[in-house]
């Protein structure tokens, strides 16, 4: 059964269209990550699901019930906010139990539920404190406790980790994954951190300008981005884009680059879908880790080294290739220096071709 | 709407819940128009007690209305009051006095307020309490402020006179409020005492918003304190200053309280200002029509000033 | 270089203290003098040589103003009017401030400006029709009528100040409360109002002081002992009875004591609220 269904949901604030016809279907137990740059409408979408905003048009179903006109409290959801939104005047215990309190749950039952949730999140020793007396990580845990104590059908998270420092964030990320495995509740999770998206999501919806650009599982999103925006948004350093024209050179398909000093990039022998594209203008997308250093005739392309950045586990090399810039992630003990020429091969199976006008994926 | 209501009442089937006023209000708050509903009580009050009377007042200024002369009726008299005003010497005098009163009071208050704010903003040890004491006059009632200063400046037992004579600035005690040449000046002093804390308050808040780095950068560049004030502080405070001046001018033009208590416009008409003149026309002569016309003129002048001032300070900003 | 700048700093510090001490004296000397006067015998006030420090102290003036005039009634009336004003402001103004702070809707900016422009209307222009109006509905010379008038012109300040305090409470708190099961009203009452408690108190105190001090409307809209407030009463006493200075000073001191106490208690929050409102507006 699907937990959440959105049909043609639109939202505009005055003249500004923030969401443009969002369709989405979420199966039980899924972990959907909404990923996108700031201001693309992620929070707005989440708020519409929660019932905090009304959509301009479109339908929202939770379970099989249309909930457009249902009060947030009756949607059987729980939400965790970026700022945690803990009630400053109430101690932790009441904060966690407030939802149950408002639903008229008896004090005994409530206490048991709160204790259970608090123990699960290791905040049972903090129950008497006010939110102001907690650290950022502890507040985060209390906010999660407040969400799980009600055992909702659907969790909504709005950038819950973005206020934590890097170490805590990694820790809580694991914690959330563990929690999801344990409870099996459906989750919609908003973030603009692609690592969170890749590690947590069973599916990722990449959004831009109020439109879902791609909705797929993390690996597909990474390896077969639906368009240049998704390709560029996911992955760090981001995917290399080279403009050029496809041509055939014997056995190979090559890319004749544009720019000040045109050169030729040999594409690996891949799927037949390159056939029939001769002479077409494209944008070639290659992830930095899809290159390896090569010499002589085996090299698919040759460039001049511009910058060398050793990061420890590997070395980032920025090359000028025919007037365009390419970043390659190469092995750790590379002995190259600026100004030298370097040959690279491209791994088969890991190139993307985009239409330069629409940005959409060709092959 | 209706759907939502029924969905909610499903949740609370008890008839008592539905009749409970708190619950009913709670349900009302889920309405789409809640934000407007929240404004209703205050809007009603403002409409009934401010807007309606003001419009009525405008309309009064075109009518005859003298409570002590019911024989004249309350008929429409067109621009009669305005035409009379043109030849009313006291009106012109009050207009001049208003300009003097407001200009001097605002300038002095601003200067004192700026000095106080700059001094307080240095946060030297022990100055916090002074900051509180300096604000105090602003919160004191006009009636008490007026009489305190009347006592201080009293021609027979005023301590200010005594001090000035002892210091050799005065030959004999002076009747400050009885002499037409000093009455307005003395009143401005009292007003300055009462009003400068307001400027100090706002300017201090403005100063707190100026980043320290700017001063550090300026002093590294070799700018002295005076130049820092001119080049950094005042420009950064521009919008605060504009707001403070506007608010204060409105307050000064509109409220005759202090002069009413201190001098009642006298001696002669030497401290007569527009608001006070209008008030006395209404309160003493019960000539509501003419008083209305006077206040309309005052209001229009104030609006023109506010508009021009905002204009000028905006233009300067660019 | 260093020494000169240190010397310059010392110079500025001395100047700062000099300025502040002068201003403080300027501000509180009238108060101190009034207090001293209220404690002097009439004979010591009206003397040939000024008595700076009273040689003897008396509370006769306080007894006189409290027992020989209607002063207690005046103070009581003022108290009733002030309390009514605060309650009216709290009820109507809190709702309006909440609406302005929490929602974005067409017309919000205009309405907010409208509430502010009200302050520009000359009191005198309002006061005359208000007199006629209140006479018509029987609210002339009543404490409630006066409180109504006060509320209407204090509301804008109240709303703007309180809005600042509401703005400081994160919006997500209400979202959380609504998901937890509160109505919008419930979220406001249970979550936001307790959070803005200090702001509510400070804003109320500000309005209370203004209502307590108000003179012009009271002068025009009250005509009898039954509703007259202390500023009007005191002023009339000066005119009618040639009130002795000592007694007048005592009356003044009595009537500003509540102001000073309230000011002392919430001074910091109140100042914050006033400046936030004005600097933004
Ligand atoms: N109440 C509102 N009125 C007008 N515009 C709004 C309102 N709420 C959001 N917006 C606009 O809608 C757009 C989307 O906002 P939203 O908060 O959904 O972005 P977001 O994707 O969550 O961004 P972030 O990552 O910064 O949280 C933004 O351009 C924002 O300015
Ligand atoms: Mg957001």
């Amino acid at each position: 059964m699907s937990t959440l269904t959105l049909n043609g949901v639109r939202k505009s604030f005055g003249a500004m269209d923030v969401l443009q016809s969002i369709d989405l279907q979420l199966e039980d137990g899924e972990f959907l990550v909404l990923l996108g740059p700031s201001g693309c409408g992620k929070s707005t979408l989440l708020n519409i699901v929660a019932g905090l905003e009304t959509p301009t048009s479109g339908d929202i179903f939770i379970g099989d019930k249309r909930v457009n006109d249902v009060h947030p409290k009756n949607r059987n959801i729980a939400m965790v906010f970026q700022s945690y939104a803990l009630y400053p005047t109430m101690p932790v215990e009441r904060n966690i139990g407030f939802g149950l309190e408002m639903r008229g749950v008896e004090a005994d039952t409530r206490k048991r539920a709160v204790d259970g949730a608090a123990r699960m999140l290791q905040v049972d020793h903090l129950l008497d404190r006010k939110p102001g007396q907690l650290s950022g990580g502890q507040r985060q845990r209390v906010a999660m406790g407040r969400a799980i104590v009600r055992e909702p059908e659907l969790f909504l998270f709005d950038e819950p980790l973005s206020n934590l420092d890097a170490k805590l964030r990694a820790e809580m990320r694991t914690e959330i994954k563990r929690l999801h495995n344990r409870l099996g509740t459906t989750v919609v999770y908003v973030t603009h951190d692609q690592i969170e998206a890749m590690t947590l999501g069973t599916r990722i919806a990449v959004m831009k300008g109020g439109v879902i650009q791609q909705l797929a599982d993390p690996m597909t999103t990474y390896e077969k981005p639906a368009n240049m925006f998704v390709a560029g948004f996911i992955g760090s350093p981001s995917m290399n884009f080279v403009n050029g024209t496809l041509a055939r050179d014997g056995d190979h398909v090559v890319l004749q680059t544009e720019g000040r000093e045109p050169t030729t990039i040999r594409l690996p022998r891949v799927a037949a879908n390159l056939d029939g594209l001769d002479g077409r203008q494209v944008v070639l997308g290659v992830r930095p880790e899809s290159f390896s250093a090569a010499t002589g005739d085996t090299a698919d392309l040759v460039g001049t080294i511009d910058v060398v950045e050793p990061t420890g586990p590997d070395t980032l090399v920025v090359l000028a290739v025919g007037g365009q810039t390419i970043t390659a992630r190469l092995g750790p003990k590379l002995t190259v220096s600026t100004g030298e020429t370097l040959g690279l091969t491209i791994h088969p199976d890991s190139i993307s071709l985009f239409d330069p006008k629409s940005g959409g994926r060709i092959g | 709407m209706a759907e939502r209501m029924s969905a909610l009442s499903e949740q609370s089937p008890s008839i008592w819940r539905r009749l409970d006023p708190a619950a009913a209000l709670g349900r009302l708050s889920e309405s789409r128009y809640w934000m407007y509903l929240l404004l209703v009580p205050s809007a009603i009050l403002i409409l009934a007690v401010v807007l309606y009377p003001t419009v009525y007042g405008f309309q009064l200024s075109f009518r005859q209305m003298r409570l002590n002369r019911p024989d004249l009726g309350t008929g429409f008299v067109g621009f009669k009051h305005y035409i009379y005003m043109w030849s009313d010497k006291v009106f012109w005098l009050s207009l001049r006095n208003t300009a003097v009163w407001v200009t001097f009071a605002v300038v002095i208050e601003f200067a004192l307020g700026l000095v106080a704010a700059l001094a307080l903003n240095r946060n030297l040890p022990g100055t916090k309490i002074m900051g509180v004491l300096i604000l105090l006059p602003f919160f004191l009632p006009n009636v008490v402020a007026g009489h305190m200063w009347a006592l201080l400046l009293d021609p027979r037992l005023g301590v200010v006179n005594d001090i000035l004579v002892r210091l050799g600035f005065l030959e004999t005690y002076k009747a400050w409020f009885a002499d037409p040449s000093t009455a307005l000046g003395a009143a401005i002093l009292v007003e300055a005492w009462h009003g400068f804390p307001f400027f100090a308050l706002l300017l201090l808040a403005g100063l707190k918003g100026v980043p320290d780095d700017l001063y550090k950068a300026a002093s590294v560049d070799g700018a002295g304190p005076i130049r820092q004030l001119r080049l950094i502080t005042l420009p950064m405070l521009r919008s605060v200053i504009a707001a403070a001046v506007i608010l204060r001018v409105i307050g000064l033009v509109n409220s005759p309280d202090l002069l009413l208590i201190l001098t009642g416009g006298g001696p002669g008409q030497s401290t007569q200002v527009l608001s006070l003149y209008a008030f006395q026309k209404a309160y003493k002569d019960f000539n509501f029509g003419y008083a209305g016309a006077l206040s309309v003129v005052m209001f229009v002048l104030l609006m023109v000033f506010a508009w021009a001032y905002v204009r000028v300070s905006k233009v300067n900003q660019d | 270089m260093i020494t000169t700048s240190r010397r310059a700093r010392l110079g500025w510090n001395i100047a700062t203290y000099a300025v502040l001490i002068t201003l403080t004296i300027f501000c509180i000397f009238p108060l101190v003098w009034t207090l001293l006067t209220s404690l002097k015998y009439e004979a010591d006030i009206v003397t040939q040589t000024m008595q700076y420090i009273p040689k003897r102290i008396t509370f006769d003036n306080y007894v006189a103003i409290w027992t020989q005039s209607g002063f207690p009634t005046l103070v009581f009336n003022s108290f009733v009017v002030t309390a009514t004003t605060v309650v009216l402001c709290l009820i109507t103004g809190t709702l309006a401030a909440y609406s302005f702070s929490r929602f974005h809707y067409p017309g919000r900016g205009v309405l907010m400006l409208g509430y502010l422009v009200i302050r520009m209307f000359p009191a005198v222009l309002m006061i005359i029709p208000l007199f006629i109006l209140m006479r018509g509905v029987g609210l002339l010379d009543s404490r409630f009528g006066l409180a109504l008038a006060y509320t209407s012109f204090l509301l804008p300040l109240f709303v703007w100040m309180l809005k600042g305090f509401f703005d400081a409470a994160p919006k997500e708190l209400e979202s959380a409360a609504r998901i937890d099961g509160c109505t919008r009203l419930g979220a406001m009452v249970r979550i936001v109002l307790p959070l803005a408690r200090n702001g509510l108190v400070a804003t109320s105190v500000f309005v209370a002081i203004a209502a307590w001090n108000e003179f012009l409307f009271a002068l025009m809209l009250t005509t009898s002992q039954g509703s007259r407030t202390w500023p009007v009463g005191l002023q009339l006493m000066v005119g009618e009875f040639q009130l002795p200075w000592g007694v007048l000073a005592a009356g003044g001191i009595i009537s500003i004591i509540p102001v000073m106490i309230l000011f002392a208690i919430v001074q910091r929050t109140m100042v914050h609220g006033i400046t936030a409102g004005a600097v933004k507006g």
Side-chain angles (χ1 to χ4, degrees):
Chain A
M1 199 189 77
S2 58
T3 313
L4 173 70
T5 310
L6 303 183
N7 282 339
V9 169
R10 307 169 61 91
K11 176 75 182 175
S12 37
F13 291 108
M16 187 171 60
D17 288 331
V18 175
L19 294 178
Q20 312 187 7
S21 195
I22 302 282
D23 293 302
L24 205 67
Q25 195 155 18
L26 224 64
E27 301 305 320
D28 260 358
E30 266 202 272
F31 196 121
L32 175 78
V33 175
L34 293 176
L35 180 68
S38 196
C40 71
K42 308 180 296 285
S43 299
T44 307
L45 185 58
L46 210 62
N47 287 341
I48 287 176
V49 173
L52 300 168
E53 303 257 16
T54 45
T56 309
S57 64
D59 295 320
I60 303 134
F61 294 87
I62 293 179
D64 43 15
K65 186 169 158 210
R66 184 172 177 275
V67 294
N68 281 44
D69 295 315
V70 176
H71 190 278
K73 77 167 172 188
N74 299 327
R75 292 190 180 199
N76 206 7
I77 51 162
M79 191 157 171
V80 176
F81 297 89
Q82 179 174 6
S83 62
Y84 315 138
L86 300 179
Y87 311 125
T89 50
M90 301 179 188
V92 167
E93 177 165 12
R94 185 138 185 250
N95 254 292
I96 297 180
F98 191 66
L100 298 175
E101 185 184 330
M102 292 307 294
R103 281 168 178 73
V105 175
E106 300 244 339
D108 286 355
T109 328
R110 208 162 69 211
K111 176 118 185 55
R112 232 171 300 128
V114 171
D115 283 345
R119 220 169 308 118
M120 190 186 295
L121 288 155
Q122 300 147 37
V123 288
D124 38 344
H125 57 296
L126 304 171
L127 287 178
D128 296 329
R129 297 218 199 148
K130 292 270 179 71
Q133 301 163 311
L134 303 178
S135 72
Q138 289 169 337
R139 273 181 228 179
Q140 168 61 44
R141 285 167 184 275
V142 173
M144 305 268 292
R146 189 169 64 177
I148 66 172
V149 76
R150 294 215 333 261
E151 302 180 355
E153 205 177 331
L154 177 62
F155 279 124
L156 305 173
F157 292 90
D158 193 350
E159 307 194 25
L161 305 183
S162 59
N163 280 344
L164 301 178
D165 61 47
K167 186 159 167 288
L168 257 178
R169 197 181 313 168
E171 226 173 276
M172 283 309 294
R173 203 169 64 212
T174 320
E175 186 99 2
I176 288 177
K177 187 143 194 170
R178 192 176 297 140
L179 218 58
H180 179 243
N181 290 341
R182 185 158 157 192
L183 300 173
T185 314
T186 317
V187 176
V188 180
Y189 186 105
V190 165
T191 182
H192 49 226
D193 182 320
Q194 40 156 329
I195 311 254
E196 274 172 36
M198 297 293 291
T199 52
L200 289 174
T202 56
R203 277 200 292 168
I204 299 178
V206 183
M207 289 181 65
K208 179 195 168 197
V211 178
I212 294 183
Q213 305 287 325
Q214 184 169 20
L215 176 59
D217 62 86
M219 273 341 272
T220 309
T221 314
Y222 188 77
E223 286 172 352
K224 301 221 171 327
N227 56 38
M228 284 176 70
F229 172 76
V230 176
F233 194 75
I234 294 186
S236 169
S238 62
M239 186 182 266
N240 296 294
F241 293 121
V242 184
N243 290 333
T245 311
L246 289 181
R248 191 156 279 277
D249 175 16
D251 286 353
H252 291 281
V253 176
V254 295
L255 183 80
Q256 229 99 47
T257 70
E258 294 157 9
R260 274 174 288 122
E261 311 143 27
T263 170
T264 310
I265 298 178
R266 190 167 68 197
L267 301 191
R269 232 173 312 215
V270 269
N273 59 10
L274 286 186
D275 293 339
L277 290 177
D278 292 359
R280 176 154 181 190
Q281 281 210 323
V282 295
V283 177
L284 167 70
V286 187
R287 296 229 174 255
E289 64 271 21
S290 302
F291 294 108
S292 12
T295 46
D297 214 26
T298 57
D300 291 328
L301 69 151
V302 178
T304 314
I305 296 177
D306 194 13
V307 182
V308 180
E309 298 173 331
T311 64
D314 39 37
T315 311
L316 296 180
V317 179
V318 181
L319 304 120
V321 179
Q324 303 192 42
T325 305
I326 280 181
T327 304
R329 188 197 293 271
L330 302 173
K333 298 211 177 71
L334 201 68
T335 47
V336 291
S337 50
T338 309
E340 292 173 11
T341 51
L342 180 68
L344 296 173
T345 56
I346 303 173
H347 296 194
D349 266 349
S350 51
I351 62 165
S352 303
L353 291 177
F354 303 102
D355 183 85
K357 291 217 181 62
S358 69
R361 184 180 186 85
I362 302 171
Chain B
M1 243 338 262
E3 261 181 74
R4 182 179 303 171
M5 285 293 184
S6 62
L8 278 166
S9 47
E10 270 171 36
Q11 300 287 320
S12 47
S14 145
I15 183 99
W16 289 113
R17 281 282 291 276
R18 215 168 311 166
L19 290 181
D20 175 7
L25 270 177
R27 274 200 303 275
L28 190 62
S29 78
E30 294 298 328
S31 132
R32 227 150 39 98
Y33 303 104
W34 178 237
M35 50 281 234
Y36 295 106
L37 292 177
L38 283 169
L39 295 178
V40 168
S42 53
I44 290 179
L45 245 170
I46 286 177
L47 283 177
V49 193
V50 182
L51 227 49
Y52 175 68
T54 306
V55 173
Y56 194 163
F58 268 95
Q59 186 239 47
L60 258 187
S61 73
F62 298 102
R63 283 192 9 207
Q64 188 69 268
M65 163 110 35
R66 302 182 69 155
L67 289 198
N68 54 349
R69 296 277 306 275
D71 52 302
L72 292 175
T74 57
F76 182 75
V77 295
F79 284 92
K80 181 184 150 209
H81 298 308
Y82 294 94
I83 293 164
Y84 174 73
M85 204 183 299
W86 189 256
S87 58
D88 181 359
K89 284 217 187 68
V90 181
F91 163 72
W92 290 109
L93 185 63
S94 327
L95 191 60
R96 197 197 66 116
N97 283 344
T98 305
V100 173
W101 160 252
V102 172
T103 311
F104 278 90
V106 167
V107 168
I108 296 173
E109 287 174 15
F110 172 73
L112 286 177
L114 181 64
V115 169
L118 287 171
L120 287 172
N121 196 40
R122 302 196 65 203
N123 289 321
L124 297 183
T127 57
K128 259 219 171 68
I129 178 73
M130 296 191 217
V132 177
L133 291 176
I134 285 176
L135 293 184
L136 194 54
F138 182 61
F139 295 94
L140 293 184
N142 274 315
V143 172
V144 173
H147 289 304
M148 269 181 191
W149 280 94
L151 171 61
L152 252 55
L153 296 171
D154 190 81
R156 278 190 308 126
L157 26 108
V159 64
V160 172
N161 276 323
D162 194 64
I163 292 171
L164 290 178
V165 168
R166 274 167 200 258
L167 294 176
F169 289 111
L170 273 185
E171 290 283 296
T172 54
Y173 285 15
K174 191 161 173 47
W176 299 95
F177 289 117
D179 181 346
S181 62
T182 55
L184 193 57
I188 288 173
L189 169 77
V190 180
E191 171 51 46
W193 173 83
H194 199 226
F196 95 84
F198 173 77
F199 278 95
L201 196 77
L202 293 194
L203 293 176
L204 186 56
L207 285 177
K208 295 235 157 78
V210 181
D212 267 349
D213 291 354
L214 277 181
Y215 292 112
K216 284 194 195 123
S219 61
V220 169
D221 288 343
I226 304 293
R227 196 165 319 166
Q228 286 180 19
L229 177 71
R230 200 163 55 80
L231 293 180
I232 300 174
T233 311
L234 291 181
M236 289 294 285
L237 289 184
R238 186 147 26 205
S239 64
V240 178
I241 293 174
V245 168
I246 282 270
L247 289 174
R248 197 67 206 133
V249 168
I250 292 173
L252 281 167
V253 172
N254 276 346
S255 47
D257 307 34
L258 199 60
L259 284 170
L260 180 61
I261 292 154
L262 283 174
T263 66
Q269 302 283 3
S270 59
T271 58
Q272 191 64 276
V273 291
L274 272 182
S275 57
L276 182 56
Y277 187 44
F279 182 76
Q280 286 179 341
K281 279 286 166 207
Y283 183 71
K284 278 200 189 139
D285 304 353
F286 290 103
N287 189 348
F288 284 6
Y290 191 49
L294 284 169
S295 352
V296 168
V297 167
M298 186 172 92
F299 178 61
V300 169
L301 290 176
L302 195 55
M303 280 299 185
V304 169
F305 165 81
W307 177 81
Y309 183 83
V310 169
R311 226 55 224 294
V312 168
S313 57
K314 276 246 173 70
V315 166
N316 279 347
Q317 214 155 336
D318 299 335
Chain C
M1 185 63 200
I2 301 242
T3 47
T4 52
S5 86
R6 193 173 291 163
R7 198 174 299 156
R9 164 109 38 95
L10 185 66
W12 282 107
N13 284 355
I14 290 172
T16 305
Y17 278 114
V19 161
L20 286 179
I21 289 170
T22 312
L23 284 175
T24 308
I25 291 174
F26 175 55
C27 281
I28 62 168
F29 177 71
L31 268 175
V32 172
W33 189 253
T34 308
L35 180 64
L36 289 177
T37 306
S38 75
L39 295 171
K40 285 180 189 171
Y41 285 95
E42 193 64 14
D44 294 345
I45 299 173
V46 192
T47 49
Q48 275 310 311
T49 48
M50 189 78 47
Q51 264 193 26
Y52 281 84
I53 307 295
K55 293 205 174 63
R56 43 195 187 144
I57 278 181
T58 172
F59 289 97
D60 287 356
N61 293 323
Y62 288 90
V63 176
I65 186 93
W66 198 254
T67 57
Q68 287 161 30
S69 69
F71 205 66
T73 319
L74 295 172
V75 168
F76 178 71
N77 285 341
S78 272
F79 178 76
V80 172
V81 171
T82 303
T84 314
T85 307
V86 169
V87 169
L88 286 174
C89 275
L90 271 174
I91 295 171
T92 61
T94 306
L95 297 179
Y98 193 79
S99 172
F100 288 145
S101 164
R102 285 345 225 189
F103 300 99
H104 291 262
Y105 44 89
R108 169 174 169 272
V110 174
L111 281 168
M112 267 167 65
L113 203 66
Y115 273 55
L116 202 65
V117 167
I118 306 274
R119 294 233 9 116
M120 292 183 71
F121 293 167
V124 185
L125 184 59
M126 240 154 53
I127 236 169
I128 304 162
L130 211 51
F131 177 88
I132 300 171
L133 205 73
M134 295 234 167
R135 200 178 51 171
V137 296
L139 282 176
L140 193 64
D141 197 25
S142 83
R143 292 177 293 216
F144 184 71
L146 194 57
L148 267 184
Y150 286 180
T151 305
S152 65
F153 72 78
L154 290 174
L155 253 181
L157 280 178
F158 186 90
V159 168
W160 275 77
M161 255 174 94
L162 197 56
K163 176 182 173 292
F165 288 108
F166 282 160
D167 285 346
K171 245 181 155 166
E172 291 182 340
L173 281 180
E174 278 134 301
S175 301
R178 297 190 61 206
I179 290 175
D180 272 346
C182 293
T183 57
R184 285 204 191 122
L185 183 69
M188 167 180 162
V189 173
R190 286 162 171 275
I191 308 295
V192 182
L193 292 191
L195 195 57
R197 195 179 44 224
N198 288 345
L200 277 167
V201 170
T203 316
S204 301
V205 165
F206 184 71
V207 164
I209 291 179
W212 179 263
N213 289 350
E214 208 285 334
F215 173 63
L216 203 66
F217 279 73
L219 182 60
M220 192 78 182
L221 298 180
T222 63
T223 49
S224 75
Q225 192 71 11
S227 65
R228 193 171 282 153
T229 57
W230 75 260
V232 178
L234 199 66
Q235 178 68 14
L236 292 181
M237 276 186 240
V238 176
E240 284 167 24
F241 311 137
Q242 286 297 321
L243 210 55
W245 276 118
V247 181
L248 173 58
I253 295 292
I254 290 178
S255 44
I256 61 175
I257 283 175
V259 176
M260 308 245 274
I261 292 175
L262 288 177
F263 178 70
I265 296 173
V266 297
Q267 178 263 130
R268 244 199 313 145
T269 330
M270 191 163 68
V271 164
H272 172 77
I274 297 170
T275 49
V279 171
K280 263 188 273 159

